Amino acid sequence: MNAVSNEPHLTDFDTSSALSAVEEVAGDGLRAFVEYDDETYNLLYIAERVVQEFGDEATLEEFADRLHYNYKLDFNEREMYADLYGPLGELAAFAVYLDDETLVRYVGEREGIYVSVEPDVSANGVVDALTETAEADR
């Protein structure tokens, strides 16, 4: 089985630069890099080992469909957190720490980037790389 690799086309982020920046931080610890909005997603990079963990690309895409069903809610949650934590600063990302990976979702107004890395990769480093790339787009 091969790694999944697609061209970016879904978001206004410079996802090619963002992917390169995250690769610098994560190295071989990068598992997945996906652009998404509230309607769909685009698998930009899925490591070969991750495809193998799922058995095939079809099973991987079924799992990605389930994730996106929930992650499209990020945009509503972003507004909720902005209302709740507004005085403390602007929300940039959500991070979830699991036994075997760390998930980072970098969220804009209506689009986002989902990154999965090995647990020894710094989630803060991933967020910093995504933030620097996003700020360069402005």
Side-chain angles (χ1 to χ4, degrees), residues 1-3 26-32 45-55 116-118:
M1 277 176 241
N2 295 322
D28 291 338
L30 179 61
R31 297 173 50 83
Y45 172 78
I46 308 294
E48 181 177 359
R49 69 186 179 283
V50 174
V51 177
Q52 290 174 347
E53 288 171 15
F54 281 91
S116 171
V117 293
E118 298 295 333

Side-chain angles (χ1 to χ4, degrees), residues 2-133:
N2 295 322
V4 174
S5 179
N6 293 305
E7 292 297 317
H9 68 273
L10 188 59
T11 68
D12 289 334
F13 293 122
D14 181 354
T15 48
S16 294
S17 294
L19 176 55
S20 294
V22 169
E23 286 175 326
E24 284 183 32
V25 170
D28 291 338
L30 179 61
R31 297 173 50 83
F33 191 97
V34 180
E35 60 181 349
Y36 68 102
D37 63 19
D38 60 347
E39 294 182 19
T40 192
Y41 63 91
N42 180 24
L43 305 174
L44 295 176
Y45 172 78
I46 308 294
E48 181 177 359
R49 69 186 179 283
V50 174
V51 177
Q52 290 174 347
E53 288 171 15
F54 281 91
D56 57 38
E57 283 187 47
T59 305
L60 172 70
E61 288 185 17
E62 287 174 18
F63 181 72
D65 287 344
R66 287 197 321 264
L67 284 181
H68 183 263
Y69 179 79
N70 289 295
Y71 289 171
K72 66 184 180 182
L73 300 174
D74 285 352
F75 310 111
N76 295 331
E77 288 178 4
R78 184 179 193 277
E79 293 171 15
M80 179 192 69
Y81 283 114
D83 289 343
L84 185 62
Y85 296 113
L88 303 176
E90 187 175 335
L91 174 73
F94 297 98
V96 177
Y97 297 87
L98 303 167
D99 291 337
D100 296 326
E101 66 187 279
T102 301
L103 310 173
V104 174
R105 295 183 329 270
Y106 187 84
V107 184
E109 289 294 322
R110 292 312 243 168
E111 54 195 13
I113 297 172
Y114 163 94
V115 179
S116 171
V117 293
E118 298 295 333
D120 61 335
V121 174
S122 166
N124 287 339
V126 170
V127 172
D128 289 346
L130 292 169
T131 301
E132 288 173 19
T133 306

